[in-house]
Amino acid sequence: MVRTARAFTNIALIKYWGKKNQTLKLPCTNSLSLTLDRFYTDTKLTIADNDHDTVYLNHKLLDETQNKRILKYLDTVRQFYSFDDHFIVDTVNHVPTSAGFASSASGFAALAAAINETKQLNLNKRELSILARNGSGSASRSIYGGFVEWIAGDSNETSFATPIDENPQIDLTLLSVVINKGSKKISSTVGMENSVKTSPFYPNWVTLVASEIKEIKQAIAKKDIQRIGEIAEHNAMSMHALTLSANPSFTYFEPETIRIFQIIQELRQKGILAYATIDAGPNVKIICTNESITKVQKYIEEQLSNVSCVVANIGSGIQYI
Amino acid sequence: MVRTARAFTNIALIKYWGKKNQTLKLPCTNSLSLTLDRFYTDTKLTIADNDHDTVYLNHKLLDETQNKRILKYLDTVRQFYSFDDHFIVDTVNHVPTSAGFASSASGFAALAAAINETKQLNLNKRELSILARNGSGSASRSIYGGFVEWIAGDSNETSFATPIDENPQIDLTLLSVVINKGSKKISSTVGMENSVKTSPFYPNWVTLVASEIKEIKQAIAKKDIQRIGEIAEHNAMSMHALTLSANPSFTYFEPETIRIFQIIQELRQKGILAYATIDAGPNVKIICTNESITKVQKYIEEQLSNVSCVVANIGSGIQYI
């Protein structure tokens, strides 16, 4: 009986922003994330009796444009493991767009695990992380639960995630504040490429990430949420400084992003623990404690009408169900 | 008959952001500005018959808190030129707060020129620029009209502004978009100090400014407004990247700042010339041509209700009237 693979999404506390190798998806720096419990992808593979891949997302057949990225990935995997089988991919995404998280991290982690399961490749977690990375860089981290570091490496075999603390006993909760606004988006792939190529600050970003990874690992070991928040916020804002200093300048911020950042600073002045992290989009994720999160959510919903809030806790690694 | 000194404000196209010497106001980098015709300060000095300085701003006597910065400056000047006279300072500011420009540039340039006039110091423009710089860094540039470069230097005598083109025949017009919002402000002095001390990107800013000054001077020589705009916008956004990457992060942006930046990008997509520059505050100044400015102003006023627009053209240097 072939099992379904389940992978959870993750939020980067130290951001992945820039590739040194586009094809292999090798990043310029390490990154560090927290796997979340709330959002996940379930994927089941069946070997097809023909030479075509078929992809169902949320029980709907994807057309040739929609399934392109997945088919290209399956071609890479076939070549890599020297097999010819094609698949019926059945994937169900529990990462609603309205939650403000990218689904590619959980999506490619679940797909990699499903291939491992169906083809009985017996990959260990490191190999699974490498396989997932070839689909989407951040998917490499969703193989593990808790705090996870993606080691940049310098080849396909040396670029993989590794767990920092898979089951941390820490009072950290994440509030995702979603700005209900359809805005023209610069994809993270294009955004990071522009930053690497044109931001005069990029070389210093590489140095910064190295030192902040070190610092945040110390804070994680001490279960110091405030310090984790401070480092994560500074790292995220520095990533967005790379988009502003790209040439031409661009930003993922929307007006509401700035307002939420102002509110977070107001909350801290009231002594409420809240730190911002922002990915390649306008939404703000707020690092809170179990104590602070209710106050933070209440305050934000009072101040802003056009947002929705979603709470997530620390999640686990790949599961087979 | 003692004449009144008039100095115009200026807008930095390559920003002054960071001091290497706080006391002498020596900047870390050169900067380059455009003097504007619309906003100015008129200052007249009379030698007092006692040993007290008295300051009238817009015909109102300033109290001990309000006049502190000016009195400290006058002490410095007395020491520097070895005289004992105190003054009645009569200064009228035609830089309304609602125009979104700092009045310290025109204010200290006019005061320096007024001291020169009243004490008959016979300073040349370079000496006047040095004298103004001791009051406020950006005041050094308001001695000249048109495009002006402030040479950073490394001592009091070597840090002064110099004209690039005092009377440029160029079709450049500036639209100041003022966000009508009272927000808690981080002074530019504090903001730049935090950036120098804590932004990991600051060293690269110094290198960036050197190359952008060179490029913008070439664009000015060619009267290439689009290129001037591109360089100025990138430089301003890179300055704001320094605040985001400061530790802790901060920003001068308000929600409306982002909205105006989005509008500028929309306008450019329509083929309308518009480039943003932003100082240490939320307001956006837009570099336009005589042709584009009407469309830009109309579009902004249609999209945003809570802003006011002010048009300025290229202005001249110090005048005595």
Side-chain angles (χ1 to χ4, degrees), chain A residues 122-162:
Chain A
N122 294 316
L123 303 180
N124 63 30
K125 285 199 160 183
R126 177 175 292 189
E127 292 163 326
L128 212 49
S129 173
I130 291 169
L131 187 56
R133 191 201 76 235
N134 278 276
S136 172
S138 58
S140 67
R141 297 183 307 235
S142 273
I143 302 303
Y144 298 98
F147 292 104
V148 183
E149 184 176 2
W150 174 13
I151 312 292
D154 51 18
S155 64
N156 187 51
E157 289 70 32
T158 55
S159 184
F160 49 77
T162 183

Side-chain angles (χ1 to χ4, degrees), chain A residues 15-224:
Chain A
K15 301 296 181 194
Y16 155 44
W17 198 247
K19 296 181 185 75
K20 60 187 172 199
N21 181 317
Q22 306 290 330
T23 319
L24 291 175
K25 294 191 170 57
L26 299 183
C28 295
T29 66
N30 290 17
S31 55
L32 192 145
S33 63
L34 185 64
T35 304
L36 300 173
D37 68 344
R38 179 87 188 257
F39 309 111
Y40 58 93
T41 303
D42 282 343
T43 300
K44 190 179 173 172
L45 287 199
T46 316
I47 294 177
D49 51 13
N50 57 26
D51 59 352
H52 288 90
D53 294 312
T54 319
V55 184
Y56 293 89
L57 172 62
N58 302 334
H59 313 300
K60 281 184 195 153
L61 182 68
L62 296 190
D63 67 27
E64 278 180 16
T65 318
Q66 294 165 325
N67 67 16
K68 210 172 160 182
R69 188 172 172 189
I70 293 174
L71 263 55
K72 199 183 156 200
Y73 178 66
L74 292 173
D75 284 341
T76 308
V77 176
R78 274 188 283 269
Q79 201 174 9
F80 197 72
Y81 287 107
S82 310
F83 64 76
D84 288 323
D85 297 321
H86 285 69
F87 302 100
I88 299 157
V89 179
D90 193 357
T91 189
V92 180
N93 227 339
H94 301 266
V95 189
T97 313
S98 64
F101 290 97
S103 57
S104 61
S106 59
F108 280 96
L111 184 54
I115 295 167
N116 181 45
E117 166 76 7
T118 305
K119 286 294 299 173
Q120 299 185 16
L121 298 174
N122 294 316
L123 303 180
N124 63 30
K125 285 199 160 183
R126 177 175 292 189
E127 292 163 326
L128 212 49
S129 173
I130 291 169
L131 187 56
R133 191 201 76 235
N134 278 276
S136 172
S138 58
S140 67
R141 297 183 307 235
S142 273
I143 302 303
Y144 298 98
F147 292 104
V148 183
E149 184 176 2
W150 174 13
I151 312 292
D154 51 18
S155 64
N156 187 51
E157 289 70 32
T158 55
S159 184
F160 49 77
T162 183
I164 299 301
D165 187 346
E166 280 234 71
N167 190 21
Q169 300 304 308
I170 189 171
D171 176 31
L172 193 159
T173 306
L174 196 83
L175 184 74
S176 177
V177 185
V178 183
I179 294 161
N180 300 319
K181 198 161 196 171
S183 66
K184 207 176 286 176
K185 216 187 138 182
I186 298 158
S187 77
S188 62
T189 301
V190 171
M192 63 175 75
E193 203 178 335
N194 288 350
S195 301
V196 174
K197 282 187 184 163
T198 70
S199 168
F201 300 158
Y202 198 82
N204 284 355
W205 163 257
V206 174
T207 319
L208 173 71
V209 167
S211 76
E212 289 192 324
I213 290 245
K214 215 168 158 181
E215 286 172 49
I216 207 166
K217 282 160 86 170
Q218 290 167 354
I220 291 167
K222 286 182 193 160
K223 305 189 191 304
D224 184 344

Side-chain angles (χ1 to χ4, degrees), chain A residues 184 200-201 203-205 208 234 237-238 241-242 244-247 249 251 253-255 258-259 261-262 265 269, chain B residues 184 200-201 203-205 208 234 237-238 241-242 244-247 249 251 253-255 258-259 261-262 265 269:
Chain A
K184 207 176 286 176
F201 300 158
N204 284 355
W205 163 257
L208 173 71
H234 181 257
M237 294 303 175
S238 299
L242 296 177
L244 275 188
S245 58
N247 204 347
S249 276
T251 183
F253 293 172
E254 288 284 334
I258 296 290
R259 184 68 198 113
F261 189 44
Q262 290 173 338
Q265 290 173 320
Q269 278 163 12
Chain B
K184 208 179 282 177
F201 301 159
N204 284 355
W205 163 257
L208 174 71
H234 180 258
M237 293 304 175
S238 299
L242 296 176
L244 276 186
S245 58
N247 205 343
S249 276
T251 183
F253 292 172
E254 287 285 333
I258 296 289
R259 184 68 198 112
F261 189 41
Q262 290 172 338
Q265 288 172 323
Q269 278 163 14

Side-chain angles (χ1 to χ4, degrees), chain B residues 10 22 44 54 60 91 105 135 147 151 164 166 181 184 193 196 204 214 217 227 235 242 257 263 266-267 287 295 307:
Chain B
N10 69 76
Q22 307 291 330
K44 191 178 172 173
T54 319
K60 280 182 196 156
T91 189
F147 292 104
I151 311 294
I164 300 299
E166 279 234 71
K181 200 161 193 170
K184 208 179 282 177
E193 202 177 336
V196 174
N204 284 355
K214 215 168 157 180
K217 282 160 86 171
R227 190 72 197 119
N235 185 265
L242 296 176
T257 312
I263 288 176
E266 289 162 29
L267 285 163
I287 296 163
K295 295 177 196 164
V307 300

